[in-house]
Amino acid sequence: MPPPADIVKVAIEWPGAFPKLMEIDQKKPLSSIIKEVCDGCFVDFVLCVLIQSSSMDAKLEALKDLANYSRDVTFAQEFINLDGISLLTQMVESGTDFGDMLSFTLTAFVELMDHGIVSWDTFSVAFIKKIASYVNKFASDISILQRSLAILESMVLNSHDLYQKVAQEITIGQLIPHLQGTDQEIQTYTIAVINALFLKAPDDKRQEMANILAQKQLRSIILTHVIRAQRAINNEMAHQLYVLQVLTFNLLEDRMMTKMDPQDQAQRDIIFELRRIAFDAESEPNNSSGSMEKRKSMYTRDYKKLGFINHVNPALDFTQTPPGMLALDNMLYFAKHHQDAYIRIVLENSSREDKHECPFGRSSIELTKMLCEILKVGELPSETCNDFHPMFFTHDRSFEEFFCICIQLLNKTWKEMRATSEDFNKVMQVVKEQIMRALTTKPSSLDQFKSKLQNLSYTEILKIRQSERMNQEDFQSRPILELKEKIQPEILELIKQQRLNRLVEGTCFRKLNSRRRQDKFWYCRLSPNHKVLHYGDLEESPQGEVPHDSLQDKLPVADIKAVVTGKDCPHMKEKGALKQNKEVLELAFSILYDSSGQLNFIAPDKHEYCVWTDGLNALLGKDMLSDLTRNDLDTLLSMEIKLRLLDLENIQIPDAPPPIPKEPSNYDFVYDCN
């Protein structure tokens, strides 16, 4: 069968490399053909130097170029096809390269593997041992240490077999010293490796690993050398701290999903202990039939005072999951470690006879369930979230202490609301709002969290709610509705122009795969005439806008067929743990063009996702349906209506803004709320 008419074969010779016969598709753009030819020839040149050259300087330059060009997927594909990865692993295993030579070799390896072309399962134990040895051997060489940690993290995340081999080679004790340094990037990679080992550990090994982390005082080291270090925490470090926080709390899932066995004496003894601490029972009555009945009656009375739903057999209160046995664990911790507060709450409510008593048992069970929902216990960490809370790194039993603070808050709020058992759900809603509002301030310690809650009394919550209702007031009279209808098209056009202006400015997107920190970025922006999307890869995250002429690729807006989001995106249909992540799905969108062309995005956050999906829909003449558009429309409509309803008669509005006042002589009046 003759070759297609558009395919021609051309012999090409690169100085210092062997001649090469290449097939060229004449239908492709000239720029693409030139790139393929250059990549192919340069790969041959690099391999030739690495294999045949005896000059160390020439090899160093070749490795430097390889590390730089390996970011490009076309170059990487050609290099891998010529078995370049095997050459790099042999160089590492030989152990003859050090310094810059080794650094560039590892950098090139990391860049090539990040394209996802080669399976991680292909690497030998000798290679893993050598990489693991670099974590200790080259602690002072930041570049080699960083690449070695990145490779170990990727091995653990991408292969179960490699996880087991890495876990045998690397101990937590070897990683801890890297957290005590001052380089935040090394600290980030170190925590990432710990998180990867934690995440991939079998269920029966995870608690064992948590115990080792506690023995090595990981929490206090992170608190001292990372969270309270005299420097800002960057987004990547914040993400890794969030992942560690989630994985730590997920250890509670087993107890959260364990029902209490009413026949288990050891579990029932915990309930007996709660009763004993609260009421300081006298010595047990004699074991006769009469005293047995008396004892049962006394226990039933005491369990009612403790606020259990099932007074006769309170073990039945803990058969619902969640929160299961975790609620009982929290109650016992509170009773033992905050005994005075526990006794005060129980006796204070058990002595009331006005139906306003707060049931401690029922409250503790529902509160534990609520806290698990707030902290998302049992859910996998998000790939995009940075929401860690410093206060959870200040105590070895942070969840239990969190509960102890919140159960006292619940009791306080119950009294402020003068609630009865019928108001139980209302109280829980208020308590949840108090906790959520306090958490959004990111308190640095549990004491600070407690202080924030003190300022969020029930009265204060009512004021906040009233204020928010007034700010979001929706006028429903017919003249106001008609005015809204008249103004709305103007506001929507204003929002549309803002979205398109943001697309013209452009956005830097991160390329994500199973190893998050790969420092790979690409930029996309709309041309000022709204006719073309310009996009291309970047070496690093840009400071400000990227010029159109520096972005290599173009996509005419006229060629766009559709914009799809979430699970409908092509890159979300691929296999892999990352692709199944709920938060990533919510940030994913794709542009479909031609017959099978696609441009895939994962927005840096929800705001950018809304801006881009709105802007692209506006370009295609479709409605902007995002939550951001709805909120912007409500806000701008409300402001515009209030402005138009202002009584401005006989008030002269100046054409020029008022002058800026002089700076004060001092700033003693400034108060730092933190």
Side-chain angles (χ1 to χ4, degrees), residues 563-617:
V563 176
V564 295
T565 60
K567 292 181 179 179
D568 295 327
C569 297
H571 58 316
M572 291 294 106
K573 294 177 181 177
E574 301 168 9
K575 293 181 179 179
L578 170 67
K579 308 306 181 205
Q580 307 304 319
N581 189 284
K582 180 182 175 184
E583 284 78 4
V584 173
L585 280 174
E586 291 176 350
L587 297 175
F589 62 98
S590 298
I591 295 174
L592 307 182
Y593 59 94
D594 295 338
S595 58
S596 59
Q598 61 196 43
L599 193 58
N600 298 320
F601 299 76
I602 295 178
D605 51 49
K606 191 67 176 177
H607 182 272
E608 286 298 312
Y609 169 84
C610 292
V611 166
W612 273 85
T613 52
D614 282 344
L616 292 171
N617 281 324

Side-chain angles (χ1 to χ4, degrees), residues 308-572:
F308 290 113
I309 296 174
N310 295 280
H311 309 148
V312 177
N313 186 5
L316 297 175
D317 285 19
F318 301 95
T319 54
Q320 179 189 357
T321 57
M325 287 295 292
L326 184 60
L328 189 58
D329 294 343
N330 282 339
M331 294 167 71
L332 183 63
Y333 181 90
F334 181 49
K336 286 190 170 183
H337 293 82
H338 300 270
Q339 195 170 112
D340 290 345
Y342 167 71
I343 293 173
R344 176 177 55 77
I345 288 175
V346 172
L347 296 184
E348 186 179 89
N349 288 287
S350 65
S351 62
R352 299 187 69 158
E353 296 181 359
D354 55 2
K355 297 184 179 180
H356 290 289
E357 66 277 1
C358 176
F360 173 73
R362 182 185 176 191
S363 299
S364 298
I365 292 168
E366 290 301 318
L367 179 63
T368 300
K369 183 178 178 181
M370 179 201 292
L371 298 183
C372 289
E373 290 172 357
I374 290 173
L375 298 177
K376 299 181 179 179
V377 174
E379 294 186 21
L380 285 173
S382 160
E383 283 290 336
T384 56
C385 186
N386 302 333
D387 189 25
F388 86 97
H389 293 278
M391 73 178 194
F392 291 131
F393 290 85
T394 62
H395 201 286
D396 289 328
R397 303 289 294 275
S398 58
F399 184 80
E400 290 87 345
E401 289 293 324
F402 186 41
F403 168 84
C404 293
I405 293 170
C406 293
I407 192 64
Q408 294 177 75
L409 167 73
L410 193 155
N411 188 65
K412 172 175 169 284
T413 302
W414 184 284
K415 289 189 290 186
E416 290 172 349
M417 293 177 67
R418 289 194 54 79
T420 63
S421 57
E422 288 79 14
D423 302 316
F424 188 87
N425 290 334
K426 291 180 182 178
V427 175
M428 295 305 294
Q429 289 172 6
V430 173
V431 169
K432 184 173 184 178
E433 185 174 345
Q434 291 170 313
I435 294 169
M436 294 299 290
R437 288 186 182 277
L439 285 177
T440 56
T441 65
K442 293 294 179 73
S444 59
S445 66
L446 290 164
D447 284 339
Q448 196 176 95
F449 174 68
K450 192 186 299 183
S451 176
K452 298 284 184 185
L453 290 176
Q454 290 293 331
N455 297 326
L456 285 170
S457 64
Y458 176 57
T459 304
E460 185 63 25
I461 290 293
L462 289 179
K463 288 180 182 177
I464 293 171
R465 287 179 174 179
Q466 179 66 20
S467 174
E468 289 177 350
R469 272 197 296 270
M470 290 176 65
N471 291 336
Q472 297 170 2
E473 189 173 8
D474 187 16
F475 303 104
Q476 296 299 323
S477 64
R478 179 175 290 181
I480 298 299
L481 292 175
E482 289 177 357
L483 181 58
K484 269 189 173 184
E485 194 174 332
K486 181 181 178 181
I487 296 172
Q488 186 161 317
E490 301 174 23
I491 302 296
L492 282 172
E493 182 60 29
L494 181 66
I495 294 172
K496 175 183 173 181
Q497 291 305 317
Q498 188 273 339
R499 300 293 192 264
L500 293 176
N501 289 340
R502 279 288 293 106
L503 265 61
V504 170
E505 292 175 13
T507 299
C508 177
F509 297 92
R510 184 189 287 268
K511 289 186 176 181
L512 289 178
N513 65 10
S514 56
R515 188 177 69 83
R516 176 187 161 100
R517 262 160 343 289
Q518 49 189 314
D519 301 323
K520 284 193 169 185
F521 304 92
W522 69 288
Y523 200 88
C524 187
R525 63 181 300 183
L526 181 65
S527 62
N529 63 4
H530 301 174
K531 300 285 186 183
V532 179
L533 282 172
H534 298 262
Y535 62 96
D537 293 340
L538 300 177
E539 294 295 324
E540 57 186 5
S541 182
Q543 302 297 320
E545 294 182 17
V546 176
H548 291 94
D549 53 11
S550 67
L551 300 173
Q552 310 93 331
D553 300 299
K554 299 179 183 179
L555 172 61
V557 173
D559 290 350
I560 298 176
K561 305 299 181 187
V563 176
V564 295
T565 60
K567 292 181 179 179
D568 295 327
C569 297
H571 58 316
M572 291 294 106

Side-chain angles (χ1 to χ4, degrees), residues 295-305 311-312:
R295 188 180 353 175
K296 283 183 178 180
S297 174
M298 180 178 65
Y299 281 6
T300 300
R301 184 188 69 242
D302 290 347
Y303 290 147
K304 184 177 180 180
K305 290 180 180 180
H311 309 148
V312 177

